[in-house]
Amino acid sequence: MSQISSRRAYAYLALGCAVLVAPLSGCVALLGAGAGAGGATYVAGGGLSDYQAYYPVSLGQATAASRAVLGEMHISYTGNLHKKENEEAIYGKTTDGTKVSVNLQSPSAKVTKVEMGVGLMGNKVLSQQFFRLLSQRLGVHATVTPPVFHN
């Protein structure tokens, strides 16, 4: 009798897990399905959604331009973090208090990967605006893969 009860308990546990996870899987699929404009892509990882793009510019150029674009978008600067020699993070808040982060990583002196996150679930419209303005400010187009330079 206890074997039947334990099987039933496992069945209820599995059903409960499926009910809890099913609504989330739709959200993650929806988040991962979006695509950015101007070469930026919308990615979902660990429940967070970011836009990311590569620019054929130095880390310093991309950092300065990103800060300027955040100002243009009325996103207040709340700080930055110099993670490593080739990594920088800029933090801000929208007018409604939503946290914004811009992570910059430079795999080479001539290429910088820029990622932007807005809140926990992302904001496609705000992210697209950021990358459009960043491309304009830098005078270059973003790509979804690192640009290749031939010496």
Side-chain angles (χ1 to χ4, degrees), residues 13-23:
L13 180 62
L15 179 62
C17 287
V19 169
L20 290 173
V21 173

Side-chain angles (χ1 to χ4, degrees), residues 53-59 62 104-108 110-114:
Y54 290 88
Y55 289 90
V57 298
S58 71
L59 179 63
L104 302 103
Q105 183 179 23
S106 187
S108 75
K110 296 180 182 179
V111 176
T112 302
K113 177 182 177 183
V114 180

Side-chain angles (χ1 to χ4, degrees), residues 52-71:
Q52 63 182 21
Y54 290 88
Y55 289 90
V57 298
S58 71
L59 179 63
Q61 289 172 299
T63 300
S66 294
R67 289 222 22 210
V69 167
L70 290 175

Side-chain angles (χ1 to χ4, degrees), residues 67 70 76-81 88-93 100-102:
R67 289 222 22 210
L70 290 175
S76 61
Y77 172 79
T78 59
N80 71 309
L81 178 63
E88 188 82 25
I90 303 168
Y91 303 103
K93 284 188 179 182
V100 173
S101 65
V102 177

Side-chain angles (χ1 to χ4, degrees), residues 6-18:
S6 64
R7 284 185 190 166
R8 184 174 285 170
Y10 284 121
Y12 285 127
L13 180 62
L15 179 62
C17 287

